[in-house]
Amino acid sequence: MTFPIFRTVAALRAQVAVWRGQGLRVALVPTMGALHDGHLTLVRQGLKKADRVVASVFVNPTQFGPNEDFAAYPRREAEDAALLAGAGASGLYAPSVTEMYPSGFATTISVAGVSEGLCGTVRPGHFAGVATVVTKLLLQAGPDLALFGEKDYQQLQVIRRVVRDLDLPVQIEGVPTVREADGLALSSRNAYLTPEQRAIAPALHGVLTALAERLAAGETAAVLTAWGRDQLLAAGFDSVDYLEVRAAEGLAPLERRSEPARILVAARLGKARLIDNIPA
Ligand code: PAF
C-alpha cells in the first residue's frame, strides 16, 4: 500500500475521523521535515501511547526572520515519507503554504513570558510563528497527543503554555534530545556544517555538561556562563547568541541552582546556528 500523504485539512480530518470511529488513539508529530532519528524517535514514542501516528511536514514561513534560512531549509518529502513509513507512522500531513495560510489570514498567537529572552530575543516573532502554526496543526489534526523534542526546549514551553491557556484538548509530550555518539544534538541544521565545523560542534554539549556539574557544585550562573562562552569561542564557534541558566518550568533566570534548572545555549558556527540545552 502506498504511504498516505494528506495535502488538505479536509483530507487529514477525514482520515482522523475514520480512526476515531474505530476507537483508535491518534498522535501528531509536527516537524519541518528533513527528518532524522530525533524525529523518528518522536514517532516511535507516539506509537507507544497511540494507535496511529501522523507526522506533519511544513516549513513554516512565519517562524523565520527575513534574513534566516527559510529558502535554504532542506526539503526532502519523498525521503521523509519513506522514513516515516519505516518508523511505523500511518501518514504524512504536508499542506501547502496557501492551505495553511489562505488569502486573508490575519490571526497570530503570541505568548508572553516564556517566549521572551533566549531565542525570543535573537529571533523576534519566531515564537509567535511557532505558536500560531502549532495551534493550527493541533486544531487541524485533533490528536489525543502531540510530541515535541526537548532540543527546542523554549519552544516546548511556549507550546505547553498555549495548550494550557487556550484549553486545547491535547496532551503535550516532551521527548529527550537524541544525540550523536559525540554528544551533538541531532538537528536538520547540522547539514549546514562543513567537516571541520562538524568536529567543533560537539563542544556545545561538552560545555553544557561541564556547566551542569559546576552549577550542582554551587557555582553561580554568571561565573559559569562567562566561562562557557569563552570555552565555545576557544573551541571555534564564531559567536554565542546566549548561554543561560533558567528555571526548568517557566524559564525564569536563575543565579544559582535553587530549583530544577535548564542550561540553554545558542551559538553560531559557519552557516549553522546550533541550539542545545540540558537539565541541571
Ligand atoms: O520544531 C519544529 O520543527 C517546528 O518549530 C514546528 C514545531 C514543527 C513548528 O513549525
Side-chain angles (χ1 to χ4, degrees), residues 30-32 39 58 60 63 130 133-134 137 148 152 155 159:
T31 82
M32 296 205 301
H39 299 111
F58 180 66
N60 174 34
Q63 68 186 76
V130 169
V133 81
V134 170
L137 288 165
F148 297 86
D152 296 287
Q155 165 174 285
I159 292 165

Side-chain angles (χ1 to χ4, degrees), residues 115-254:
S115 292
E116 290 151 20
L118 306 169
C119 285
T121 302
V122 187
R123 305 184 70 190
H126 169 69
F127 287 119
V130 169
T132 305
V133 81
V134 170
T135 304
K136 282 179 66 79
L137 288 165
L138 294 174
L139 293 172
Q140 290 168 349
D144 296 283
L145 75 147
L147 299 99
F148 297 86
E150 285 185 347
K151 188 182 77 73
D152 296 287
Y153 192 79
Q154 189 178 13
Q155 165 174 285
L156 179 60
Q157 296 287 312
V158 169
I159 292 165
R160 286 193 193 284
R161 189 74 260 164
V162 172
V163 166
R164 278 199 293 266
D165 288 355
L166 300 184
D167 306 308
L168 299 181
V170 62
Q171 179 194 331
I172 300 298
E173 184 98 4
V175 177
T177 304
V178 179
R179 300 181 180 280
E180 304 278 8
D182 60 11
L184 179 65
L186 298 194
S187 164
S188 307
R189 289 189 168 99
N190 292 350
Y192 299 152
L193 298 170
T194 64
E196 294 72 32
Q197 292 162 350
R198 174 64 188 79
I200 294 169
L204 209 55
H205 183 242
V207 164
L208 287 177
T209 309
L211 288 190
E213 278 166 18
R214 291 175 58 174
L215 194 71
E219 290 188 59
T220 65
V223 167
L224 291 177
T225 53
W227 175 83
R229 279 174 178 268
D230 289 347
Q231 293 293 306
L232 289 173
L233 297 175
F237 276 86
D238 299 315
S239 59
V240 180
D241 282 353
Y242 61 78
L243 174 57
E244 292 193 34
V245 180
R246 297 282 184 122
E249 283 306 313
L251 296 180
L254 287 186

